[in-house]
Amino acid sequence: MANTAQKIFSQKLMPFLRTLLSSKDLTVVIFIATILAIIIVPLPSGMLDLLLSISIALSVLIVLIALYIDKPTEFYAFPTILLIVTLYRLALNVATTRMILSEGYNGADSVSSIIASFGNFVVGGNYVIGVIVFTILVLVNLIVITNGSTRVTEVRARFTLDAMPGKQMAIDADLNAGLIKQEEAKARREALQQEADFYGTMDGASKFVKGDAIASIIITLVNIIGGFLIGFFQYNLSAQQSAEIFTILTIGDGLVGQIPALIIATATGIMTTRAAKGSGANFASDIVTQITSNAKILLIVGFILCLFALVPGLPLSLGFVGLFFFVIAWLSGREDTKSFFVLFEKWLNKYFDKKPIKTAKTQTSQQDGSQHSKERVVKSEEEIIKEEEASLNEALKIEVLEINLGYELIKLADIAQYGNLLERIRQVRKQIARDYGFLVPQVRIKDNLNLSPSSYNILLKGVAIGGGEVYPNKVLAMNTGLAGGDITGEEVTEPVFGLAGIWIESAQKDKASALGYVIVEPTAIITTHLTELIKEYAQEFITIDEVKMLMDKVEKIYPEVVAEARKIPISTIRKVLQALLHEKIPIKDMLTILETLIDVYPILQNDLDSIVEQVRYGLKRTITDLFMDQNDKTLKVMAFSPATDSFLLSKLKEQPANKTFLLNIKETTALSDAITTQAHNLIQKNISPVVLLVDFRYRKAIANFLEQNGINVIALSNVEIDTHAKYEVLATIDVNL
């Protein structure tokens, strides 16, 4: 018999269970079907007990998930789960009502053991006490928890939706500043959309909890009145017997349903009232940590409770609770050398002439003191000379890249004071390496007392190339045209792109973000400024050593290519890389660059501009993808009219060493104005960067012209567009001469 049962279990049940567990969507379908079956099909007492137990277990599971997740949006399925669980609990109410009204006259055990236990054990078998307890639970759930959760959800949903434009602009600002990649920006936008959807659906889902509480009151009244009438008229029970049996069963049923409802409502409140955090611990641990972190407050609470315990007539249990708070305060304050307990312990040791107990900080201080005493040993003349030479060498050393900070900004680089400047600089170096293909040297950060307290300077090889002013305890609010209100602060022009902004207190950050302002941290301004300057001066970071390092990396994979490339003067390779970076072309594809140089250098070795143009042609896929609109995968450009194109070709100065146009002042002004006007029109249509498509014969000459006249337009030749790419001419430039 046992073998037969084992065989059935292994051959029939196990495959079914494996299929059920692997098909998670099927599990949900079965659960929904079970809910419908509970409503329609009468259930035996044992099955009803099992389903009621599952209801309690689900509510406990949900509240524990709400406590242990890192942020609310991680449990994004919560609104839907709330609906399904509420429907499940209401279906159980229908099933228990059917059992109470049909089998209640036979006794509580014939209905459900769980309902009978709650009706007899929890309320002591007294239906008057049961009614009062149930009423209190319903009122607490409906008036306190559910109403509070609903209101918080409404407010949070409104503020989340109002703040979406500002948060989206902040993501776009980080993307444009080069602090994040396109993939990360897409992920952050999806997370922002998920957050808005979550709180929007939570606003509606919280109504389920409120409706459930109201429905439980109505169901209870129906059960009590209907059960009393059925027992009295149909089963000839006395009025007292009928009232006692059906009231206890109904209250037991109400408690079995209301306790999970109360737990679910609590979980809803936890999800809506908590804020996202950045620590590694879970939310439950954070609650305990934040409550017990201040030993002084715990000490005061314990002292007050002990005083109450001394008042005649008040119970001594207050004193025991006060002592408990003393113990918690002592445990949480042991690591703080300035806490009351440590100071009191030191006083006792001094009073009783005992050797003081060494804390970690005291030991560190003693070690530092002994170290200083060793350093006070008289140094020899030779050591003094070496130290002086080292000091002079340090003074003569010029850092490639350096940031000087006013003394108020030093905290931005101090990790102990929650400064994230160093981490942001590391991210900038990684971003430049990924996007442009070269390694930015280490950035040295120094304090400079000659600067104003809130100023910073960025130096390249000892010379300042940029700077500005930021406030470490404030944030910059920038109105990109979507802000819907005014905020108070100091109006300034931000130092990176010259946009208008307002320095506001950190406490106003959430308000400004909700109004649609883009919020920028002080460290973000400095690192964005650093990023833009690195891009502008990128060619200066390409030294002979950097070229050798880049070639060594390629040599590990393509040794023959590098062996041929080493026949080309390294200074020529360096000039080519610098020319590419000067026009914002990445040098990540070193293989293509070196192979092109190997092919063209023997022919064009005296014409550097032509060599660079040939390398650009080899990098046409990279160049096309770099300036292509990533949304519709189309290269959007402006171009010269045929007449202007012929005019420029006639004015081209044919000298290999210097490609330029022979234009007079009138012609230069007309050409500059025409390009600037069309570029401005494209910028108004959110086309950025603006690309000018020209004939390959004078691309370098027009690029020089744009740079000399300060026109922020990219010059591409018609042979630099990938043959598989789509491009669209949005504007035609016609110079009237």
Side-chain angles (χ1 to χ4, degrees), residues 95 167 174 179 247 277 316-317 353 369 399 408 463 482 506 525 530 559 570 603 645:
K167 292 180 179 180
D174 285 348
L179 297 177
T247 302
K277 62 181 181 59
L316 292 176
S317 58
D353 195 21
E399 297 290 339
E408 283 188 358
V463 179
L482 300 176
S506 298
I525 294 175
L530 176 66
I570 195 167
I603 305 170
D645 189 63

Side-chain angles (χ1 to χ4, degrees), residues 290-312:
Q290 292 178 30
I291 291 176
T292 62
S293 60
N294 195 324
K296 183 186 294 185
I297 294 176
L298 297 173
L299 194 64
I300 294 172
V301 173
F303 180 72
I304 292 173
L305 291 175
C306 289
L307 284 180
F308 283 165
L310 297 176
V311 176

Side-chain angles (χ1 to χ4, degrees), residues 267-528:
T268 306
I270 291 172
M271 293 287 289
T272 54
T273 56
R274 62 178 291 183
K277 62 181 181 59
S279 63
N282 57 65
F283 182 67
S285 299
D286 276 352
I287 293 176
V288 178
T289 301
Q290 292 178 30
I291 291 176
T292 62
S293 60
N294 195 324
K296 183 186 294 185
I297 294 176
L298 297 173
L299 194 64
I300 294 172
V301 173
F303 180 72
I304 292 173
L305 291 175
C306 289
L307 284 180
F308 283 165
L310 297 176
V311 176
L314 291 181
L316 292 176
S317 58
L318 290 171
F320 289 114
V321 178
L323 292 176
F324 174 74
F325 273 89
F326 278 135
V327 173
I328 299 297
W330 175 69
L331 291 174
S332 62
R334 292 178 68 186
E335 298 299 325
D336 187 2
T337 56
K338 296 182 180 180
S339 68
F340 168 79
F341 292 102
V342 174
L343 294 176
F344 182 68
E345 195 172 339
K346 289 181 179 179
W347 178 81
L348 286 177
N349 290 327
K350 182 178 179 182
Y351 183 79
F352 291 105
D353 195 21
K354 291 183 179 180
K355 186 178 179 181
I357 297 174
K358 296 181 181 179
T359 62
K361 291 187 177 181
T362 307
Q363 293 173 356
T364 304
S365 301
Q366 291 180 357
Q367 290 173 2
D368 291 343
S370 63
Q371 183 67 26
H372 289 312
S373 65
K374 291 179 182 178
E375 290 179 356
R376 286 194 292 267
V377 177
V378 178
K379 299 176 181 177
S380 65
E381 185 176 351
E382 183 180 353
E383 290 175 335
I384 294 174
I385 293 173
K386 287 182 178 180
E387 288 183 359
E388 186 177 356
E389 289 179 354
S391 176
L392 291 172
N393 289 333
E394 182 67 22
L396 292 172
K397 183 180 179 182
I398 296 179
E399 297 290 339
V400 177
L401 202 55
E402 185 177 328
I403 299 178
N404 286 355
L405 302 175
Y407 68 83
E408 283 188 358
L409 303 184
I410 293 298
K411 64 177 71 174
L412 298 179
D414 187 358
I415 298 176
Q417 298 189 37
Y418 308 101
N420 61 348
L421 180 60
L422 295 176
E423 178 58 32
R424 281 184 173 269
I425 289 174
R426 281 193 287 270
Q427 294 301 322
V428 167
R429 296 180 70 227
K430 290 180 182 177
Q431 187 70 34
I432 294 296
R434 284 195 298 263
D435 291 348
Y436 286 88
F438 69 93
L439 183 62
V440 177
Q442 290 285 348
V443 181
R444 184 176 182 182
I445 298 177
K446 292 173 58 178
D447 59 330
N448 190 341
L449 297 179
N450 294 324
L451 294 175
S452 63
S454 55
S455 295
Y456 69 91
N457 268 351
I458 299 174
L459 288 76
L460 177 62
K461 299 176 183 177
V463 179
I465 57 173
E469 190 171 14
V470 297
Y471 299 97
N473 298 320
K474 297 182 179 181
V475 293
L476 186 66
M478 299 173 62
N479 186 355
T480 57
L482 300 176
D486 296 328
I487 52 176
T488 57
E490 181 182 348
E491 296 184 2
V492 295
T493 300
E494 61 91 22
V496 186
F497 303 106
L499 303 175
I502 304 173
W503 283 105
I504 61 174
E505 299 295 335
S506 298
Q508 299 185 68
K509 181 166 64 173
D510 293 338
K511 176 186 175 183
S513 179
L515 290 174
Y517 287 87
V518 177
I519 305 301
V520 186
E521 301 288 340
T523 51
I525 294 175
I526 296 175
T527 50
T528 302

Side-chain angles (χ1 to χ4, degrees), residues 134 138 211-225 250:
F134 175 76
V138 171
D212 181 33
I214 296 172
S216 64
I217 298 174
I218 298 172
I219 291 171
T220 301
L221 292 175
V222 169
N223 284 350
I224 291 175
I225 297 172
T250 302

Side-chain angles (χ1 to χ4, degrees), residues 103 114 121-122 237 248 250 302 311 317 377 383 498 502 607 642 645 660 665 672 678 688 726:
E103 300 292 337
I114 291 181
F121 179 73
V122 177
L237 297 176
I248 289 178
T250 302
V311 176
S317 58
V377 177
E383 290 175 335
I502 304 173
D607 189 351
D645 189 63
T660 187
I665 295 177
S672 176
Q678 294 296 343
S688 179
K726 296 186 297 182

